[in-house]
Amino acid sequence: MAGNNSANFCTIILVAKFPRIGKCKTRLAKQTDNDFAQKFAKACIGDLVDKFGNDFVSGNYKVKRVILFAPGTDKDDYRKWLEEECPETSSNWDLLPMKEPTEKDAAIGALGAALGGSIIDISSRNSLQNNTNFGPVSFIGMDTPHLPTKVVAESFAIASTCSIEKNKVLNEVLGDPFTEGAVQETAYICPAYDGGYVLLSLPPAVANGNNAYRAFENVAWSTSEACSTQVKALKDVGFKGKNDYIRRFLLLYFVYIVCLINTSVIFIEVKYGAVYTDIDDLEDLHVLKDKLASDNSIDCPRLRKLLL
């Protein structure tokens, strides 16, 4: 097996709408009040912007930081608030409005369209402005402010590495010599206890072209199956895990065409990280409060001030 670091440009995307009172953390607001929910949302975003706005990745990486938000009309208010709340790090972040879904986005949903669209937008801008390779992309949400920076840094390293090896799925279907030269890349995901996920790092093969949208096909958003269906979508991007006869035939035909044009077959593996609690309601909030009280290493100063 041969490994190499294929990227020196990586992106972290924080998915967080502007913390406008009455419009943020609505489940928590119903159990507390709108004022507290807004304060909590502001504390989460502020802590995340500061800790991921500093240098948290070692090695030869150029990190692009983006806040993905909706609606787009909040952009000026968001920028002004960030500059006041996070004066030392706000300039390190770009604000990107979520893409509006179209009829063509039915298979990926509004959130999938927003996530995939953000990758396309950022990668196209990068190709025009930089000579660097477009490397891994990591999505985090504002609901897990206690996510450690080292976990995201490790996910970048994992998603940056590709290998050229004999792929087991191809070997089962075709045997040699077609199994030589299959490119395998790795995505990284941290599940949430409620069945969702709190971190998703995509390798370059997924974060380019139409794969950026295909990576979110048929994900069951806002359900207990969001993580499992996300993993399936990623594996389907690379045809991995398709074992029925029709799919085997399609895989065979696909590889045959690929060999004719002398290019590589891409397979996506998914590596799981630790499981986290994302903070949606009052019960989750008590879990976070206990974590902050028992672990001084958690870098969330605003939340400590608000909750402890």
Side-chain angles (χ1 to χ4, degrees):
M1 180 186 299
N4 64 82
N5 190 343
S6 61
N8 59 357
F9 184 91
C10 54
T11 304
I12 181 169
I13 299 177
L14 169 60
V15 183
K17 61 183 179 182
F18 179 62
R20 191 176 297 282
I21 192 164
K23 300 293 184 180
C24 59
K25 304 303 299 177
T26 53
R27 287 174 58 184
L28 185 61
K30 290 178 180 179
Q31 298 173 311
T32 56
D33 56 60
N34 286 333
D35 182 63
F36 177 81
Q38 183 192 42
K39 289 179 180 177
F40 179 76
K42 286 183 174 181
C44 289
I45 297 171
D47 284 344
L48 287 165
V49 165
D50 272 349
K51 70 179 178 180
F52 286 104
N54 291 309
D55 293 332
F56 68 95
V57 181
S58 61
N60 186 29
Y61 286 101
K62 295 181 180 180
V63 181
K64 185 174 184 63
R65 300 167 177 86
V66 176
I67 297 176
L68 184 64
F69 71 99
T73 52
D74 282 338
K75 187 172 185 178
D76 291 341
D77 289 340
Y78 214 146
R79 176 56 67 188
K80 181 180 179 181
W81 174 75
L82 279 176
E83 291 173 351
E84 294 172 352
E85 181 68 25
C86 308
E88 296 182 4
T89 57
S90 63
S91 61
N92 296 333
W93 292 84
D94 292 334
L95 288 171
L96 180 65
M98 289 186 178
K99 172 184 178 293
E100 292 292 335
T102 65
E103 292 182 2
K104 295 180 180 179
D105 298 323
I108 58 177
L111 183 55
L115 301 183
S118 69
I119 297 175
I120 297 296
D121 186 280
I122 295 166
S123 63
S124 62
R125 293 184 188 185
N126 176 63
S127 64
L128 294 174
Q129 298 174 3
N130 301 278
N131 292 321
T132 53
N133 297 321
F134 188 68
V137 175
S138 290
F139 290 96
I140 62 173
M142 61 167 287
D143 294 338
T144 320
H146 50 296
L147 182 69
T149 55
K150 66 178 182 180
V151 172
V152 179
E154 290 169 358
S155 77
F156 277 144
I158 292 169
S160 296
T161 304
C162 69
S163 62
I164 300 175
E165 62 178 351
K166 291 185 177 182
N167 187 277
K168 293 180 180 179
V169 174
L170 280 181
N171 193 52
E172 289 178 3
V173 179
L174 299 174
D176 293 328
F178 294 122
T179 52
E180 298 287 355
V183 177
Q184 183 167 293
E185 295 197 343
T186 304
Y188 187 91
I189 193 167
C190 285
Y193 283 109
D194 63 5
Y197 60 87
V198 304
L199 166 67
L200 176 65
S201 291
L202 302 177
V206 179
N208 279 280
N210 291 330
N211 284 343
Y213 286 108
R214 291 185 58 213
F216 301 106
E217 284 185 354
N218 300 314
V219 175
W221 301 113
S222 301
T223 74
S224 60
E225 297 181 347
C227 184
S228 61
T229 52
Q230 177 64 83
V231 170
K232 182 179 184 302
L234 292 172
K235 291 183 176 181
D236 284 354
V237 169
F239 292 95
K240 188 169 180 60
K242 299 185 174 183
N243 295 317
D244 61 85
Y245 292 111
I246 295 176
R247 286 175 171 174
R248 281 173 177 262
F249 173 78
L250 292 176
L251 177 59
L252 175 62
Y253 180 74
F254 171 76
V255 174
Y256 173 71
I257 297 299
V258 163
C259 292
L260 286 180
I261 62 177
N262 193 29
T263 189
S264 298
V265 184
I266 296 172
F267 291 87
I268 307 300
E269 292 282 359
V270 180
K271 182 173 182 179
Y272 288 88
V275 184
Y276 291 86
T277 300
D278 53 356
I279 315 303
D280 292 321
D281 55 29
L282 197 56
E283 182 179 354
D284 300 329
L285 189 68
H286 290 315
V287 173
L288 175 61
K289 184 177 179 179
D290 290 343
K291 286 182 178 294
L292 293 174
S294 61
D295 188 350
N296 291 327
S297 68
I298 299 176
D299 185 15
C300 295
R302 292 172 181 80
L303 285 170
R304 288 184 182 278
K305 183 178 180 179
L306 179 65
L307 300 178
L308 300 182

